[in-house]
Amino acid sequence: RKNVFILAACQMLFGSGRSLLIATAPVVAYGLAEEKGLATLPTSMVVVGTALASIPAAMAMRRFGRRWGFVLGALCGAAGGGLCAHAVFEANLWLFSLGAFLFGVFAGFAQLFRFAATDVAAADFRSRAVSLVLAGGVVAAFAGPETAKFGKNLIASAPFAGGYFLLVAICLMSALVLMTLDIPNQTRAERDGPRRPLRQIVTQPVFIAATVAAMMAQGVMTLLMTATPIATLHEHHAFDDTALVIEWHIFAMFAPGFFAGHLVDRFGEVLMIHAGIVLQLICVAVALSGQGVMD
């Protein structure tokens, strides 16, 4: 259970850093970019970094263990935060995008927190273990944007740079906490044991359907999270309003995790995927309905 609480704490720290970056990156990039269409580039690079790191993260943990794999990811996140802060001082969009990419690499490792929790939890504690890790994401939904608000004017000569120094601190704190993780490495017999070829897995119809559904859902979500800070800036809303919107967006991402499994068990995966698509359509309709901020 100690390991589960460590992973929950690290999920909170990682999620705080991610929501900080999501809330600020489009606004910062909009100010740095001469071609305003590039304002979405850093957020896109977070997604690209996450996708490219996912398989290498799993392979690294298979070889070196969960602890050192997660620590490596957290150090990548710290490097990304430092590069973002430096890019703000240098007014360099490309460096800023590279920093966002490195944080995305951290995200590729951190996506495995919840799975690591099931590795170490007893059979009668696994569902609660996943819930505890998800609870870290709920806390992070508010902690990250509030940290971004605090860091916005921390350094008067470079707005938002202070927030990225705080991001470095969050990632380093996560690395320190992860050093106390105690998950046994796989034995050679476990690493070399029988397993299905990747080609066999990815050609299954159920895998293809799940991947396409996840791709579409993630695409819409990323578009909304990237466009919203720019839209609020364009409509002359305060950054506090941007942070508020992102807070509730991320809260709604994680809060259903406490009961989504029960709904899937009762109604089935396909129906719940359809329900998610309907909710996203409603979200898009609300986003298109006006430019005001509802407190």
Side-chain angles (χ1 to χ4, degrees):
R1 297 195 178 197
K2 170 194 158 187
N3 286 317
V4 172
F5 284 110
I6 289 170
L7 291 166
C10 290
Q11 177 68 41
M12 182 192 69
L13 290 168
F14 159 70
S16 298
R18 180 175 61 178
S19 55
L20 184 158
L21 191 62
I22 287 169
T24 59
V27 177
V28 172
Y30 191 85
L32 295 179
E34 293 184 12
E35 172 54 54
K36 299 306 180 185
L38 292 174
T40 60
L41 179 62
T43 307
S44 299
M45 294 305 292
V46 173
V47 179
V48 171
T50 303
L52 292 181
S54 295
I55 293 178
M59 294 174 65
M61 290 185 194
R62 182 179 179 85
R63 180 67 181 85
F64 301 109
R66 294 286 197 187
R67 179 201 295 170
W68 293 113
F70 285 140
V71 168
L72 175 61
L75 293 178
C76 286
L83 199 55
C84 285
H86 178 66
V88 171
F89 282 105
E90 296 294 323
N92 190 315
L93 175 65
W94 305 107
L95 278 179
F96 188 77
S97 299
L98 179 58
F101 173 84
L102 288 175
F103 187 85
V105 171
F106 178 26
F109 284 81
Q111 298 292 338
L112 302 176
F113 284 153
R114 69 192 71 179
F115 302 112
T118 63
D119 287 346
V120 298
D124 61 348
F125 188 61
R126 281 177 186 162
S127 60
R128 286 199 296 169
V130 173
S131 294
L132 282 170
V133 175
L134 291 173
V138 172
V139 174
F142 299 99
E146 291 301 319
T147 303
K149 287 162 60 176
F150 175 76
K152 178 177 181 292
N153 298 313
L154 202 58
I155 301 174
S157 61
F160 294 105
Y164 297 122
F165 284 122
L166 293 174
L167 179 60
V168 174
I170 288 170
C171 293
L172 291 178
M173 189 181 303
S174 183
L176 287 174
V177 174
L178 286 164
M179 289 292 292
T180 66
L181 195 65
D182 184 21
I183 300 178
N185 293 352
Q186 287 185 319
T187 64
R188 178 179 293 275
E190 289 173 330
R191 289 200 304 269
D192 298 337
R195 56 185 184 271
R196 289 184 297 166
L198 183 61
R199 179 190 293 272
Q200 181 182 340
I201 295 172
V202 301
T203 54
Q204 296 176 104
V206 67
F207 177 90
I208 295 170
T211 302
V212 171
M215 179 180 67
M216 295 176 65
Q218 289 283 337
V220 173
M221 183 192 71
T222 302
L223 187 154
L224 286 166
M225 288 196 300
T226 306
T228 296
I230 297 174
T232 56
L233 175 68
H234 188 264
E235 294 298 322
H236 307 292
H237 294 298
F239 179 71
D240 286 6
D241 294 329
T242 301
L244 176 68
V245 173
I246 296 299
E247 283 175 5
W248 287 102
H249 174 95
I250 297 176
F251 172 80
M253 284 172 58
F254 283 95
F258 295 108
F259 55 83
H262 173 72
L263 294 177
V264 170
D265 289 340
R266 181 169 181 178
F267 300 107
E269 294 88 346
V270 174
L271 183 60
M272 295 311 300
I273 289 173
H274 288 158
I277 293 171
V278 171
L279 287 171
Q280 285 201 323
L281 289 172
I282 294 172
C283 176
V284 172
V286 171
L288 292 172
S289 65
Q291 291 81 39
V293 176
M294 296 178 64
D295 295 327

